[in-house]
Coordinates of all heavy atoms in Angstrom, one line a residue:
R50 N -28.5 -9.9 -74.1 CA -29.7 -9.9 -74.9 C -29.9 -11.1 -75.8 O -31.0 -11.5 -76.1 CB -29.7 -8.7 -75.9 CG -30.1 -7.4 -75.2 CD -31.5 -7.3 -74.8 NE -32.0 -6.0 -74.4 CZ -33.1 -5.8 -73.9 NH1 -34.0 -6.7 -73.7 NH2 -33.4 -4.5 -73.5
T51 N -28.8 -11.8 -76.1 CA -28.9 -13.0 -76.9 C -29.0 -14.3 -76.1 O -29.1 -15.4 -76.7 CB -27.7 -13.1 -77.9 OG1 -27.4 -11.8 -78.4 CG2 -27.9 -14.0 -79.0
L251 N -28.8 -12.7 -87.0 CA -29.5 -11.9 -86.0 C -29.0 -10.5 -85.9 O -29.8 -9.6 -85.8 CB -29.4 -12.6 -84.7 CG -30.2 -13.9 -84.5 CD1 -29.9 -14.5 -83.1 CD2 -31.7 -13.7 -84.7
A255 N -31.4 -7.4 -86.7 CA -31.6 -6.4 -85.7 C -31.3 -5.0 -86.3 O -32.0 -4.0 -86.1 CB -30.8 -6.6 -84.5
L258 N -34.2 -3.9 -88.6 CA -35.4 -3.5 -87.8 C -35.1 -2.1 -87.2 O -36.0 -1.3 -87.2 CB -35.7 -4.5 -86.7 CG -36.1 -5.9 -87.2 CD1 -36.2 -6.9 -86.0 CD2 -37.5 -5.8 -87.9
D272 N -29.1 0.8 -80.5 CA -30.3 0.5 -81.2 C -30.3 -0.9 -81.7 O -31.4 -1.6 -81.6 CB -30.6 1.4 -82.3 CG -30.7 2.9 -81.9 OD1 -31.4 3.1 -80.9 OD2 -30.2 3.8 -82.6
V273 N -29.2 -1.4 -82.2 CA -29.1 -2.8 -82.7 C -29.3 -3.8 -81.5 O -30.0 -4.8 -81.6 CB -27.8 -3.0 -83.4 CG1 -27.6 -4.5 -83.9 CG2 -27.6 -2.0 -84.6
V274 N -28.6 -3.5 -80.4 CA -28.8 -4.3 -79.2 C -30.3 -4.4 -78.8 O -30.9 -5.4 -78.5 CB -28.0 -3.8 -78.0 CG1 -28.3 -4.6 -76.8 CG2 -26.5 -3.9 -78.4
R275 N -30.9 -3.2 -78.8 CA -32.3 -3.1 -78.4 C -33.3 -3.9 -79.4 O -34.3 -4.4 -78.9 CB -32.7 -1.6 -78.4 CG -34.1 -1.3 -78.0 CD -34.3 0.2 -77.8 NE -34.0 0.9 -79.0 CZ -34.8 1.2 -80.0 NH1 -36.0 0.6 -80.0 NH2 -34.4 1.9 -81.0
K276 N -32.9 -4.1 -80.6 CA -33.7 -4.8 -81.6 C -33.4 -6.3 -81.7 O -34.1 -7.0 -82.3 CB -33.6 -4.1 -83.0 CG -34.2 -2.8 -83.1 CD -35.8 -2.9 -83.0 CE -36.5 -1.6 -83.2 NZ -37.9 -1.7 -83.1
L277 N -32.4 -6.7 -81.0 CA -32.1 -8.2 -81.0 C -33.3 -9.0 -80.5 O -33.6 -10.1 -81.2 CB -30.9 -8.5 -80.1 CG -29.5 -8.1 -80.7 CD1 -28.4 -8.2 -79.7 CD2 -29.2 -9.1 -81.9
P278 N -34.0 -8.6 -79.5 CA -35.2 -9.5 -79.1 C -36.2 -9.6 -80.2 O -36.8 -10.6 -80.4 CB -35.8 -8.7 -77.9 CG -34.6 -8.0 -77.3 CD -33.8 -7.5 -78.5
D279 N -36.4 -8.5 -81.0 CA -37.4 -8.6 -82.1 C -36.9 -9.5 -83.2 O -37.7 -10.2 -83.8 CB -37.6 -7.2 -82.7 CG -38.3 -6.3 -81.7 OD1 -39.1 -6.8 -80.9 OD2 -38.0 -5.0 -81.7
A280 N -35.6 -9.5 -83.5 CA -35.0 -10.4 -84.5 C -35.2 -11.8 -84.0 O -35.5 -12.7 -84.8 CB -33.6 -10.0 -84.7
I281 N -34.9 -12.1 -82.8 CA -35.1 -13.5 -82.2 C -36.5 -13.9 -82.3 O -36.9 -15.0 -82.6 CB -34.5 -13.5 -80.8 CG1 -33.0 -13.3 -80.8 CG2 -34.8 -14.9 -80.2 CD1 -32.4 -13.1 -79.4
R282 N -37.4 -13.0 -81.9 CA -38.9 -13.3 -81.9 C -39.3 -13.7 -83.3 O -40.1 -14.7 -83.5 CB -39.7 -12.1 -81.4 CG -41.2 -12.4 -81.3 CD -42.0 -11.2 -80.9 NE -41.7 -10.9 -79.5 CZ -41.0 -9.7 -79.2 NH1 -40.6 -8.9 -80.1 NH2 -40.8 -9.5 -77.9
E283 N -38.8 -13.1 -84.4 CA -39.2 -13.4 -85.7 C -38.8 -14.9 -86.0 O -39.6 -15.6 -86.7 CB -38.5 -12.5 -86.7 CG -39.1 -11.1 -86.8 CD -38.5 -10.3 -87.9 OE1 -37.5 -10.8 -88.5 OE2 -39.0 -9.2 -88.3
I284 N -37.7 -15.3 -85.5 CA -37.3 -16.7 -85.7 C -38.1 -17.7 -84.9 O -38.4 -18.8 -85.4 CB -35.8 -16.8 -85.3 CG1 -34.9 -16.0 -86.3 CG2 -35.3 -18.3 -85.3 CD1 -35.0 -16.4 -87.7
L285 N -38.6 -17.3 -83.8 CA -39.3 -18.2 -82.9 C -40.7 -18.4 -83.3 O -41.4 -19.3 -83.0 CB -39.2 -17.7 -81.4 CG -37.8 -17.7 -80.8 CD1 -37.9 -17.2 -79.4 CD2 -37.2 -19.1 -80.8
E286 N -41.3 -17.4 -84.0 CA -42.7 -17.4 -84.4 C -43.0 -18.3 -85.6 O -42.1 -18.5 -86.4 CB -43.2 -16.0 -84.6 CG -43.3 -15.1 -83.4 CD -43.7 -13.7 -83.6 OE1 -43.7 -13.3 -84.8 OE2 -44.1 -13.0 -82.7

Side-chain angles (χ1 to χ4, degrees):
R50 280 291 190 190
T51 318
L251 288 175
L258 294 170
D272 295 322
V273 179
V274 173
R275 183 170 54 85
K276 287 295 184 178
L277 282 169
D279 294 327
I281 294 170
R282 183 181 294 112
E283 285 188 350
I284 293 301
L285 296 177
E286 289 178 345

